């Protein structure tokens, strides 16, 4: 298995899976750990463990009636890269133990280990790892893998905060029910922040949230699951981030978001609406404000030529329904290659939305920070008139309306 | 400028821009060249220059009344990596000269070089390259940059053909007018192939194409431009391509497609529709056919866990309207930071759709081939029972209906 | 700090430093951990924790009178990537705690934290990390960083063992006293193995070892330290590993070895002697034996065109004396930029040789395995007549004499 | 074939081989081209084509009686990345045509295409590329591949010149005859510059050069070839370049130099002598001069902890004799796997030294510039007190003695 690192200059490398197995020379037992190594952390940052824990708590299971009842504490331990609370420039190591590893659940997985869940990555794990693939809670194809993403993203967010950048996501659609959204101009960033994490779905439109949650409880009763849409906003991103050809910021953010298991679609700004528009309707008119170039509208979602333009980055990402459902499904036993009925048994989320938004925030944060490193490398060498770099700084917080 | 290489094991590196400037010790003149270096080409392939030229001709400007009237021959020359028509395993070098470099057009660009076109990458080039940025035809932010992508993709396609993989794209929406599509189950792959490149928009639904083209000619009369949607299908892709965490095939394909200048949204399979669906509706039921795992539906667009599942890959990508329009627009002069009116002058495409579909094909082909290399590397080392690799082979051509 | 990953397809990523600081939300204390994430481990390998511990024990301090008296247990815990003792294909996570973190030693470092040790990396840490750099036991510039290399190398060695490859190193020179060596044709690989780790210097020439150790004890009495030379041999390496231009196996092995802190020179085969030789003397004559190409001599050290030729890889690497000595030295205080006298206080090794040979083995093992992955990727795609790959297999064990 | 790119932020990608085959849709003929794409060139640099040509001329064959009589003009054409003589920030494309492609030489190669030259990479090309490998002048294993390295290095040198860095190499040993050298303290950098390229061997010790050349002419008469040693010096390199663990500057420079075909050994500073020294002898004493840290001696060759320390970088590299000799040699026919006698026919260099020193300069220049980019990226993010970066600046030119 390759591809366990994300980023070029700011890099997050992860390992660890759903249940895991730990062993020293003397003992061996279930309950391994998820490790995250964060490269490219600058020195002199007072790293706040509470803030890393806060991000991990966002995605922790078992917090509401919408989530899987699995109980993980997800306590993070910072084990390297700092001294007396301040980063040294060395890579930061993060350790999270798996604790909910009771035999009863492991036995459940063992019983159906050869029967693939429809809609799930498991079939591919057979192709790639044969009979050796991790059958225990989906191994590295489990949502538990995202602990490392969120841990790494939590470090990125603390560095970005020094640069005035913040990244937030919320739920704007659940099972077809839509809430107000920034991309559609029906919500401001301030409203989003004011209602952030105020309900168990993290839909920042309280009215819509109520209907969505009621609907989801009905879905659960039916033994089913539901899809939804996440909106992600990044404020304070300097203009000019991203490289012009293959590594546009759009491309590296898309790489990060499309690597999240359950995603099925991605829009930048007005997204698919652009397919119905004219150039005279789509182009965001630039103007000068306080000596900086701004745009009167944000149909491009903050990207020009795939690079940030100094306005808010606005993205939407569709998420498929959790594949594991309680209803009987037709499937296949991979060892016998015979048809098989599957009645799901394992614990699961009714909707992935409230657990995936922190993962989306993390991936976007890492991609932005990585692009910021590249931009700083470039400015260091390019020796341009410093006015150009100054012009890239985004507007002051709070002065923005869509 | 970094990020001029795409791929990990099969790699395409490009340079070259809209007009370019060439010089030897003795002479200097406009009209540089676009170079493409393709790494990872296997030995023993009878490389067909005509097929590379065919792909380049797809994206060549000046072919229809929808395109920019710019006249480029885009003649490709293969300069390395083969001997007597057969590849040697060495990197393949491809050379395309810029020929349409008349002073009249260069002067046009010079006159407005400090005034950014709304909706265009130019503003970011000022931030990144200051007064030194290439003002001539948008430099490397020009669609001309995609010559290298298509050239590299043309080599990838010839290698993929040996493996039984083909990648095709067509237009399914233009300025809000929709045609039939594979993702929506209203067209088969065979129909798509039968109508491929039969009209100047390359919309494989002939009735819809007629209406779209008539509409676009009206848009042109108004001095405007229009957006649209491209659908991309890859048939014959083995199952299990992509790495499970950060480098899922979905992620690397998204990286490639989202690095294309004009794209604004991307869907895999049923895409945004998944947000309104239940798990019992979305999950594609697996079954066994001729000893291989297949799926009764393809709502996932051929991706499970972000990796290929052996069915057709089906993607849709929205494209914004060409930013350059003839109507007067408000904009900014970057040197004075003063407001400015811009009346577009330069040549342009009415819609980017008929010129961008070959670029989309190229990026998807490169990403698939690169993932295939990774998979082969893995199988070589993993020493699994060969039955698992055999199971990944997609069904025979022609036996598929959505 | 970047560059904490080594390898392209088989990748080792590390973090952790000399003392470290660990913290959870509730507690903070000295004694962090060294984490290693190993990507690219094939599934189905029965991973032997004892063998990883064996490699770590090779480099553990405090084992003899030549080593630093620092007492570290270096107990490794495997926390991910396997299930019931067998690898799953997921990345393997390895955890080693720092335990020798007594206040007395930390205080010693604190007292001289601004005074750089001559010959040591510390001056560069000030430039790169300013006052935030890790002053505690040299942080990541400490030899302790090599725990991650050896842990990752121990996994590589277990995979290589399945392929019939073994990598061993020993000391062939200490403070100018030379022992017999394979590169000079005065020792066989079998002799080397027979005497491997039989004395505290791991010099496989017992007579020479005696004199070297007696000399080193005298050096210690004088408060001084000494340099030496390591010889590394890899047997069973298939021919054709390495890529022809920038990523020759020679180049990636050199990258790995020259990234070891104390190294000062590197030779392949006859090395510097080649500068005095004629082509007719240097060229190793090829011949055919049992249907495979072999070479009558091995002046090239097993590399042709920088790629393996199927014979033993033979390298030598010079190691400078441990920079920390007890004698008073002239140096500089980095905060005042004033001259300063330094009388070394901290614990140290008399010679780095007996602690660095396992690190050299690890780096060479990782580089070979990584090249093997690339070769397998290549063979998978190239579709050559399989006879060519078969020809690359090295001779059976034990049939080789220099 | 992979690994055709060198560098991380400043990247040189090359293709092209000894003879090559070019083809367009209409014509096909011998005489392809060598392409070089240079990524990471900053904007605003007045690129001097004459200086690129000067570097290429250094390594051009057929210039003296020591070289191969092959006649290549090696005319470079710059085809992208600049406008009106000034770089734009886009990648620079360089094109060099192969012209000496007469049938007589090609036929010579064809006759012996299955018979491997002892000491040459050819045997590995059979393993990797089978019967499809380029048999014409050794293809990409030919020294002609280094045209791309030197072209890329010539761009790096022009950027480094803006930063005050210069990189020069000369011959210090030929067939065992030694000249004066900087590493041994018997020559100053100024003397080296004064005698640079004054004789056909580019040995900057004129007396020694005379003897070496006379000896080499005798070697030629005998139909033989000879090895030698190159010394490389880089002056003006800021301190602190390189990353502390796997990507030390020493490691990336070693990667570059050990990827040059004919090299057999590498020393940094006092190199192998360190193996005979004590810590009290080896450590270079730091002191403060004009507010900057300097070192009284340079036994470490300008590297501490593998990173630059602000003093001159001093390296030596041994080069094996040209493998192609006129004397009859025992070898193997790869298709029949039978023994074969080979009497070399093709044109060759008596010693590679006078043709390889510009390649060594190029690789070192690229590695230094790449590390400089990484350092600038780091300083941009680290937000250290600027005094630390200021301290890294090397001393003024000309004030240095070993």
């Amino acid at each position: 298995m390759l591809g366990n690192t994300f980023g070029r200059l700011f890099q997050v490398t992860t390992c660890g899976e759903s249940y895991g197995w730990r062993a020293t020379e003397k003992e061996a037992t279930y309950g391994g750990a998820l490790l995250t190594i964060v490269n490219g952390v600058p020195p002199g940052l007072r790293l706040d463990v509470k803030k890393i824990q806060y991000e991990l708590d966002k995605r922790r299971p078992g917090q509401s009636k919408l989530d899987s009842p699995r109980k993980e504490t997800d306590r993070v331990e910072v084990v390297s890269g700092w001294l007396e609370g301040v980063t040294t420039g060395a890579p930061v190591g993060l350790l999270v133990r798996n604790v909910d590893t009771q035999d009863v659940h492991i036995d459940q997985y063992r019983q159906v280990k050869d029967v693939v869940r429809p809609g799930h990555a498991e079939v591919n794990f057979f192709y790639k790892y044969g009979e050796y693939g991790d059958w225990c809670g989906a191994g590295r194809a489990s949502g538990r893998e995202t602990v490392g993403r969120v841990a790494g993203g939590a470090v990125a967010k603390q560095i970005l905060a020094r640069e005035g950048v913040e990244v937030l996501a919320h739920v704007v659609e659940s099972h077809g029910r839509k809430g107000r959204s920034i991309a559609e101009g029906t919500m401001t960033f301030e409203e989003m922040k004011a209602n952030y994490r105020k309900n168990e779905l993290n839909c920042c439109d309280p009215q819509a949230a109520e209907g969505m949650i009621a609907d989801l409880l009905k879905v659960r009763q039916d033994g089913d699951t539901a899809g939804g849409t996440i909106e992600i906003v990044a404020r304070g991103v300097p203009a000019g981030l991203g490289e012009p050809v293959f590594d546009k910021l759009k491309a590296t953010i898309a790489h990060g978001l499309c690597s999240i298991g359950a995603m099925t679609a991605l829009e930048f700004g007005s997204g698919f609406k652009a397919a119905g528009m004219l150039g005279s309707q789509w182009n965001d008119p630039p103007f000068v404000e306080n000596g900086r170039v701004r745009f009167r509208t944000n149909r491009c979602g903050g990207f020009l030529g795939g690079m940030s333009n100094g306005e808010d980055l606005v993205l939407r990402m569709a998420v498929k329904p959790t594949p594991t459902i309680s209803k009987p499904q037709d499937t296949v036993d991979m060892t016998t290659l015979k048809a098989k009925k599957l009645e799901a048994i394992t614990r699961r989320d009714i909707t992935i939305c409230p657990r995936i938004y922190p993962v989306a925030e993390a991936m976007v944060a890492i991609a932005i920070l990585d692009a910021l490193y590249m931009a700083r490398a470039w400015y260091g060498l390019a020796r341009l008139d410093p006015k150009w770099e100054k012009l890239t700084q985004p507007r002051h917080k709070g002065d923005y309306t869509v």
Side-chain angles (χ1 to χ4, degrees), chain A:
Chain A
M1 190 182 301
L2 297 159
N4 295 295
T5 296
F6 185 61
R8 297 156 297 177
L9 291 181
F10 181 81
Q11 297 183 305
V12 175
T13 301
T14 73
C15 69
E17 48 272 320
S18 192
Y19 284 84
W21 206 66
R22 60 183 283 205
T24 59
E25 219 184 303
K26 285 180 194 150
E27 45 157 358
T29 177
Y30 273 99
L34 300 136
L35 307 183
T36 305
I37 297 180
V38 188
N39 286 308
V41 179
L45 179 77
R46 186 155 286 279
L47 195 65
D48 189 336
V49 187
K50 282 197 192 66
K51 283 185 182 160
I52 304 176
Q53 193 62 58
Y54 168 76
E55 295 294 327
L56 285 170
D57 288 349
K58 284 186 190 172
R59 73 154 293 293
R60 192 149 52 85
Q63 300 187 95
S64 95
K65 51 193 176 300
L66 302 177
D67 297 348
S68 160
R70 178 169 177 166
K71 293 284 179 207
E72 284 291 353
T73 53
D74 285 352
R75 291 294 100 185
V76 69
E77 185 186 335
V78 183
V79 298
S80 75
W82 62 346
L83 201 66
E84 301 182 325
V86 178
T87 58
T88 59
V92 167
L94 301 165
L95 170 68
V96 173
R97 293 272 180 198
N98 282 328
V99 298
D100 186 352
T101 51
Q102 303 159 58
D103 288 346
V104 55
H105 297 124
I106 290 162
D107 284 348
Q108 274 182 335
Y109 284 113
R110 199 189 307 265
Q111 281 159 33
V112 291
K113 77 189 178 62
D114 297 331
V115 183
V116 295
R117 282 178 277 175
H120 201 282
E122 288 169 333
V123 61
N124 273 316
F125 274 62
F126 275 94
Y127 295 144
K128 293 180 97 81
Y129 312 109
E131 61 263 52
Y132 305 116
D134 189 338
W135 46 262
C136 194
R140 197 134 169 85
S142 158
R144 225 167 147 59
E145 162 263 315
T146 61
V147 163
R149 299 176 187 247
V150 171
V155 176
K157 281 182 161 188
Q158 292 191 40
I159 303 168
L160 284 174
R162 290 210 301 189
E163 310 280 338
V165 181
E166 67 188 322
V167 182
L168 292 176
H170 67 137
V171 175
V172 293
E173 181 180 0
S174 169
H175 189 204
R177 288 157 190 269
K178 296 197 172 183
R180 290 184 291 118
S181 101
I182 289 172
E184 295 179 349
T186 51
M187 182 184 283
T188 64
F189 188 61
E190 285 68 31
E191 279 181 276
M192 180 193 176
K193 285 182 75 166
N195 292 303
Y196 185 71
R197 297 194 79 213
K198 287 287 163 61
N199 53 61
E200 49 209 329
L201 195 57
N202 192 29
C203 165
C204 296
D205 174 346
Q207 280 76 26
E210 228 170 280
M212 290 175 188
I213 291 167
D215 171 71
L216 286 167
L217 294 175
K218 213 190 139 299
V219 167
R220 188 178 62 168
Q221 265 183 336
D222 297 346
D224 221 326
T225 57
T229 302
I230 302 292
E231 180 172 70
I232 308 136
V233 183
R235 170 155 291 189
V237 181
L241 300 195
E243 294 304 312
V245 182
F246 296 118
D247 287 349
K248 292 181 165 82
L249 180 59
K250 228 162 149 175
T252 55
I253 285 180
H255 191 138
L257 289 176
C258 298
S259 77
I260 301 176
M263 75 79 64
T264 62
L266 180 62
E267 289 186 320
F268 301 91
S270 58
F272 275 104
K273 285 211 187 84
M277 293 169 84
L278 296 170
S280 58
Q281 295 167 332
W282 194 88
N283 290 346
D284 300 302
F287 68 105
V288 175
E289 185 188 69
N290 300 330
R292 278 204 324 282
V293 179
R294 296 214 39 205
F295 296 84
R296 297 209 183 274
T297 52
N298 195 14
R299 286 183 277 263
C300 68
F303 296 94
L304 278 178
M307 293 170 280
S308 58
N309 72 351
E311 301 294 340
D312 287 357
L313 304 187
V314 183
L315 299 100
R316 276 173 302 179
M317 179 175 86
V319 177
K320 72 178 185 184
T322 319
T324 312
I325 61 175
S326 301
K327 298 184 166 181
Q329 294 180 93
D330 288 325
T331 186
V332 167
D333 179 307
M334 291 299 288
T335 51
T336 61
L337 284 180
K338 291 268 159 64
K340 189 96 187 181
K341 273 274 184 239
L342 181 76
E343 308 209 19
I345 4 182
T346 60
R347 301 170 289 179
R348 71 184 177 282
D349 302 301
I350 305 312
T351 168
I352 306 171
C353 288
R355 304 215 28 225
I356 218 168
Y357 76 88
V359 183
E361 291 177 358
M363 296 314 291
V364 171
I366 296 168
I368 291 171
L369 182 57
D370 186 46
L372 187 57
Y373 273 67
M374 295 296 270
R376 292 282 164 83
W378 186 255
Y379 276 112
L381 259 284
R383 292 180 158 198
L384 292 176
D385 185 332
K387 81 171 171 186
W388 295 112
E389 189 178 7
K390 245 179 239 152
L391 275 172
T392 65
Q393 293 314 303
R395 72 264 158 295
H396 296 302
K397 294 180 191 177
D399 67 352
Y400 188 79
T401 50
V402 181

